[in-house]
Structures are given as C-alpha cells and as structure tokens.
C-alpha cells in the first residue's frame, strides 16, 4: 500500500516561512488530485490547498495570498511530489498538516501522510 511521506514541519516565529514536502513511499501511477489538510488542537480537519495532475490549484480563502502549492512535472519522476510553501506564518496556522492523494473516481482520499507539525507561537 502506497503511503505519502511528509517533511518540512517545525517551529517558526510569526512572519516566518516553511516549506512542506510530500512524496509517495514508492513509485506509483499519477495521482489525480493531491493536497494538504490541517488540523489544529480541538478543531476539525480543514482543507488547505489542492493541485490536480493538470496543475490547477485551489486554496482555502484564508491562506490564498500566503501559501503556494506546487507539484512536480507531469510524467516525470516527481509527478506525485507536492510542496506547500508557507509565508508570513501566523499563530492560527499552528496545526498538524496532512498530505493526501485522491484518484478521480474516489469520493474520499485514497492516500494519506502521517502528518507533520507546524507550530507558530503567539
């Protein structure tokens, strides 16, 4: 079973930047839609950003101008690698960030990462 492996989380002061990376644990066919959820303590998991295999990106309104999601070139060895570049981080961005992958005919994610902690102290 393919799993997604995340890296790049950590502690950063307000206004700082972090970049998260997500890659599959083994080579697999193109994953149609990939992205990031996050879950803050005591809160529901919320969708942050997505990118499909054609490069179309979507963002949560509250983070659109600060976060950038990107993906490796289609058909290449990094076709299922995604990054989340986060700038001007705020304490409310503190959460565990989960990478996911979903195939076109699936209603829910087919693949999940283990989660990576992002902490922005107030």
């Amino acid at each position: 079973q393919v799993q997604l492996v995340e890296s790049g989380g950590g502690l950063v002061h307000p206004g700082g930047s972090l970049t998260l990376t997500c890659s599959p644990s083994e080579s697999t066919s193109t994953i149609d839609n990939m992205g990031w959820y996050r879950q803050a303590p005591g809160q529901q998991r919320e969708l942050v950003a997505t990118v499909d295999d054609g490069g179309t990106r979507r963002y949560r309104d509250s983070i659109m101008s600060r976060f950038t999601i990107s993906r490796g070139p289609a058909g290449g060895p990094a076709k299922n690698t995604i990054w989340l570049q986060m700038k001007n981080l705020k304490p409310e961005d503190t959460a565990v960030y989960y990478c996911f992958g979903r195939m076109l005919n699936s209603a829910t994610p087919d693949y999940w990462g283990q989660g990576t902690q992002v902490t922005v102290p107030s």
Side-chain angles (χ1 to χ4, degrees):
Q1 175 73 18
V2 173
Q3 293 186 329
L4 300 176
V5 181
E6 301 138 340
S7 62
L11 186 148
V12 62
H13 291 291
S17 301
L18 280 176
T19 297
L20 307 181
T21 303
C22 170
S23 296
S25 58
E26 57 190 77
S27 180
T28 186
S29 57
T30 298
I31 300 173
D32 296 308
N33 201 353
M34 299 185 71
W36 299 88
Y37 278 89
R38 69 185 181 185
Q39 187 166 21
Q43 303 294 319
Q44 288 190 331
R45 190 173 293 190
E46 62 183 25
L47 185 62
V48 176
T50 64
V51 58
D52 67 18
D53 58 340
T56 299
R57 310 174 191 187
R58 291 188 170 84
Y59 297 94
R60 185 175 194 82
D61 286 347
S62 62
I63 59 93
M64 188 180 297
S65 61
R66 299 185 294 118
F67 291 9
T68 301
I69 190 170
S70 58
R71 182 166 182 164
K79 62 182 183 292
N80 291 325
T81 295
I82 62 170
W83 297 269
L84 185 68
Q85 184 179 23
M86 305 182 290
K87 297 180 178 180
N88 190 22
L89 282 160
K90 304 177 180 181
E92 53 263 42
D93 295 317
T94 294
V96 179
Y97 284 70
Y98 297 92
C99 174
F100 76 91
R102 182 177 63 82
M103 301 307 287
L104 203 57
N105 58 357
S106 297
T108 56
D110 299 282
Y111 311 104
W112 284 102
Q114 78 285 1
T116 186
Q117 177 72 47
V118 172
T119 301
V120 187
S122 56

